[in-house]
Amino acid sequence: KKLFDHKMIYDLEKEFKNMQSFVQTKFEKLETSKNLNIANDEWMRPEGGGGITYVVSEGNFFDNCAINFSSIYGKDLPKSALAENIKAKYGYRAMGISVISHPKNPHVPTSHMNVRLFGILDKNNEIETWWIGGGYDLTPFIPYKDDIVHWHNGAEAILEPLGVGLYEKYSNNCNNYFEIPHRKERRGVGGIFFDGLSNFPSPKEATSFLKEVVSSYVESYLDIANKRKDLKFNEIQKEFQLYRRGRYVEFNLVYDRGTSFGLQSNGRVESILASLPASAKWSYKKSKEYEALEKDLLEYINRDWNV
């Protein structure tokens, strides 16, 4: 008896597309620019599958923001899929959405969210083994303790009904995953991160949980964004945001498994790299103002917020 067939695959894809549309609709409300640059592209992958890439740029709120859906299949499961003990003799199927927001105002943090479902195919091209993964994290530039606590409280609230200790476990996963070893610092102030979960009655129930993750992310992020988006900022603070975005680029290109999976699976490069900020800087010499801002920021990002 197969866990799910082609119809259920179609239904699951529809659920992920609905999640993408939900985030898209909510995030569009942050923008007020009449000259907003929006790209909404549907693409096909030669090896199988495709996706929808939605990118907002040059707005009053967003420098750029990508909200991506993909559903692909193939023969060789990329190593970055976290399936070390699973053989994909007949191929795999993977679907999910990812969101990466880079706001213009340095008082508003960058945010990231990803939810996904992996399946291993049998000889009839149907899925017989599956698991889910995902999570979200926050990368502030000018940190506010109230925002960080609110962010973590939202994550804890959705995990509490599922079992004792899950929030702490997934929060630690997030801290460990978003570590930048060559900088000896984390990318941001964390959130939650999980992978390899298959302890749901069916993929349908698992996807319902992923929808809760998406809703929690959107609600918490909009609360923070609306609270901070009208704060004034100066040139030094903007420059600092651009320098710190360099850390985001370094992590995504060197360590991020989602980026690796996309490239290893011969995904659409433009969609994969839509996670990068539209602009970033690297500087050999740091000003005193930069050093002061960085010292304050590191006290927030190099600590555990789940205690």
Side-chain angles (χ1 to χ4, degrees):
K1 184 180 179 180
K2 299 296 176 273
L3 289 172
F4 53 107
D5 55 18
H6 297 294
K7 181 183 182 304
M8 187 171 284
I9 291 174
Y10 173 82
D11 290 341
L12 288 169
E13 285 182 332
K14 188 175 180 180
E15 291 287 353
F16 279 98
K17 288 179 181 178
N18 287 341
M19 293 183 221
Q20 181 192 33
S21 296
F22 170 74
V23 179
Q24 188 176 316
T25 300
K26 293 290 187 178
F27 276 26
E28 283 176 350
K29 293 178 180 178
L30 289 168
E31 276 297 351
T32 57
S33 174
K34 293 181 179 179
N35 299 316
L36 189 63
N37 187 344
I38 297 178
N40 195 6
D41 301 327
E42 189 166 351
W43 52 273
M44 300 300 293
R45 177 172 169 268
E47 293 83 354
I52 303 170
T53 298
Y54 175 87
V55 176
V56 175
S57 58
E58 301 170 14
N60 288 333
F61 180 85
F62 291 114
D63 270 343
N64 65 302
C65 173
I67 306 170
N68 298 328
F69 160 78
S70 64
S71 179
I72 66 171
Y73 53 90
K75 284 295 182 183
D76 299 316
L77 185 68
K79 294 179 181 179
S80 54
L82 193 64
E84 293 89 346
N85 300 319
I86 297 177
K87 302 296 182 182
K89 182 178 179 180
Y90 299 104
Y92 71 93
R93 186 131 202 160
M95 64 184 74
I97 67 165
S98 63
V99 182
I100 308 94
S101 73
H102 294 289
K104 188 176 295 292
N105 192 323
H107 291 284
V108 183
T110 281
S111 73
H112 158 259
M113 187 277 300
N114 169 271
V115 291
R116 55 197 177 273
L117 184 148
F118 279 95
I120 303 301
L121 302 176
D122 65 11
K123 62 182 180 181
N124 298 315
N125 205 35
E126 295 178 348
I127 297 177
E128 60 179 0
T129 303
W130 61 272
W131 67 94
I132 61 169
Y136 54 75
D137 67 287
L138 194 71
T139 305
F141 306 98
I142 301 171
Y144 294 90
K145 183 177 179 180
D146 290 350
D147 295 350
I148 301 169
V149 170
H150 180 67
W151 181 258
H152 280 272
N153 284 345
E156 185 174 16
I158 60 165
L159 293 173
E160 190 175 17
L162 298 181
V164 177
L166 278 185
Y167 161 68
E168 184 176 356
K169 177 182 178 181
Y170 294 163
S171 181
N172 287 333
N173 287 349
C174 188
N175 289 337
N176 293 332
Y177 179 75
F178 291 107
E179 184 82 24
I180 308 177
H182 65 269
R183 294 288 189 179
K184 295 182 174 59
E185 61 187 48
R186 295 172 182 170
R187 190 173 79 173
V189 295
I192 54 173
F193 184 80
F194 53 90
D195 210 346
L197 297 187
S198 58
N199 58 337
F200 291 87
S202 75
K204 184 177 180 180
E205 282 82 0
T207 305
S208 293
F209 167 65
L210 294 181
K211 289 169 70 174
E212 291 183 25
V213 172
V214 174
S215 294
S216 172
Y217 158 75
V218 169
E219 181 179 348
S220 293
Y221 190 62
L222 289 181
D223 286 344
I224 295 170
N226 285 315
K227 189 177 181 180
R228 306 296 175 189
K229 66 180 182 179
D230 295 322
L231 293 179
K232 302 295 182 183
F233 59 91
N234 58 38
E235 185 178 345
I236 292 174
Q237 291 170 324
K238 183 63 181 180
E239 285 289 299
F240 180 69
Q241 178 197 47
L242 297 180
Y243 290 139
R244 291 300 305 184
R245 279 181 180 172
R247 299 289 203 274
Y248 206 93
V249 174
E250 289 173 21
F251 179 86
N252 276 35
L253 294 182
V254 179
Y255 301 109
D256 186 68
R257 274 211 310 270
T259 303
S260 297
F261 177 84
L263 297 175
Q264 290 169 8
S265 61
N266 197 28
R268 185 172 184 250
V269 175
E270 291 83 358
S271 299
I272 297 164
L273 298 185
S275 64
L276 300 179
S279 55
K281 287 188 175 183
W282 285 262
S283 177
Y284 179 76
K285 188 176 182 180
K286 300 176 182 178
S287 67
K288 291 183 178 179
E289 292 87 354
Y290 176 100
E291 290 178 345
L293 287 167
E294 185 174 58
K295 181 180 179 181
D296 182 54
L297 178 60
L298 290 177
E299 289 179 0
Y300 283 85
I301 68 174
N302 281 343
R303 61 167 284 189
D304 295 339
W305 289 93
N306 59 2
V307 294

